Amino acid sequence: MTTSIKKPHQMITARELARSAFTELRSGWKRYVAIVAIVIVPVDLLALTSSVTGEDPTLSTYSLIVSLIMNVALIWAIVQKDHTGVIPRVGAAYYEGSIAIVRFFLVSAALVLMLAPAALGGAIYVAANTAGINSAAPVGEQLLIGIVCLLLALPSFHLLIRFGLALVAVVDGGMRPLAALRYARRLTFGKYWRLAGRYINLFLLIILIAIPISIGTFILAFLKLVPVATLFFQLATTFTALPIMNMYLLHLYHDIEPKSKEPEPTASEEAA
């Protein structure tokens, strides 16, 4: 009598995630760009105007709120495309997706709080580096400070890997914030280092996307069109990097979700 050994789930590779994200964006780029453009174009134009006429203290708050709403609408449209094969219209994305705005905001706030160790490490590094420049501190001392600050920031990276997919869960699964955070954490059990690798690859992918955009921005700035260069960089990166990032994370989220015949991961399965 032989017993079959169940092979562990093989996670989708970073290359496959990137390819599927680019393929999806290419097939529906007009609708996705429209969802983003209806908000980001006015916001960036207002920011450009404000930089010329003087800083408006309310503009940053306004930009943050409408950008949050825009991102929820974009994720909701990507989710609907994944479930139904059809990208919703712009109005439907904002209207139907609005149900998840409060949940998305609360999870975002929780993730921001998780960045506190990284913010502390960054603040200490900047302060120490400034003092080091003024007092001509030895290179070895500055290097040691940098290592200490990096160690202080590591808990933030750990928490973001554990809980980052909760932003997808509140839109795709309609979960409440705490439930989404707990669910995202459970999904990482036994997959922590592989997920960390996928996040690093996403970061590198965003950098690669930004390289040609940065070249175009540099050319415009060289031609002394600095306001146009700034606007070009903000719009181009938002139109490309934001959809790619959300598609990448959604496909990763669906890949590590328990399948219908698989039990959900438990704490005993955590490998890291």
Side-chain angles (χ1 to χ4, degrees), residues 145-245:
I145 293 173
I147 293 174
V148 172
C149 293
L150 179 61
L151 291 175
L152 286 174
L154 287 179
S156 290
F157 302 136
H158 171 79
L159 292 172
L160 289 179
I161 293 171
R162 286 294 190 201
F163 298 101
L165 291 176
L167 288 173
V168 180
V170 292
V171 180
D172 181 58
M175 299 180 188
R176 293 186 176 185
L178 290 178
L181 289 167
R182 286 194 296 265
Y183 184 65
R185 181 176 180 273
R186 289 202 304 272
L187 290 179
T188 66
F189 289 163
K191 308 179 184 73
Y192 177 83
W193 292 109
R194 286 176 289 170
L195 278 173
R198 303 303 185 274
Y199 277 109
I200 292 172
N201 278 280
L202 175 59
F203 176 73
L204 296 176
L205 178 62
I206 298 302
I207 292 177
L208 288 176
I209 293 172
I211 289 175
I213 299 174
S214 299
I215 294 173
T217 303
F218 174 79
I219 293 172
L220 290 173
F222 181 77
L223 296 174
K224 298 182 179 180
L225 300 172
V226 176
V228 177
T230 302
L231 182 64
F232 168 76
F233 182 81
Q234 292 173 341
L235 291 178
T237 51
T238 306
F239 288 150
T240 54
L242 187 62
I244 289 294
M245 181 182 69

Side-chain angles (χ1 to χ4, degrees), residues 112-126 149 152-154 156-157:
V112 169
L113 290 176
M114 295 176 192
L115 290 173
L120 176 61
I124 293 174
Y125 180 78
V126 170
C149 293
L152 286 174
L154 287 179
S156 290
F157 302 136

Side-chain angles (χ1 to χ4, degrees), residues 9-78:
H9 171 65
Q10 297 295 322
M11 281 181 60
I12 186 172
T13 65
R15 183 177 180 180
E16 291 170 333
L17 286 168
R19 183 169 58 244
S20 63
F22 275 107
T23 300
E24 185 172 347
L25 179 61
R26 186 169 59 248
S27 65
W29 69 269
K30 291 182 181 179
R31 190 65 58 82
Y32 292 128
V33 167
I35 292 172
V36 173
I38 197 172
V39 167
I40 203 64
V41 171
V43 167
D44 284 350
L45 288 175
L46 283 173
L48 181 62
T49 304
S50 178
S51 66
V52 174
T53 61
E55 290 295 330
D56 183 356
T58 63
L59 181 60
S60 58
T61 302
Y62 166 78
S63 301
L64 177 63
I65 294 173
V66 297
S67 297
L68 180 73
I69 296 172
M70 175 203 67
N71 200 31
V72 173
L74 178 62
I75 296 175
W76 190 86
I78 295 170

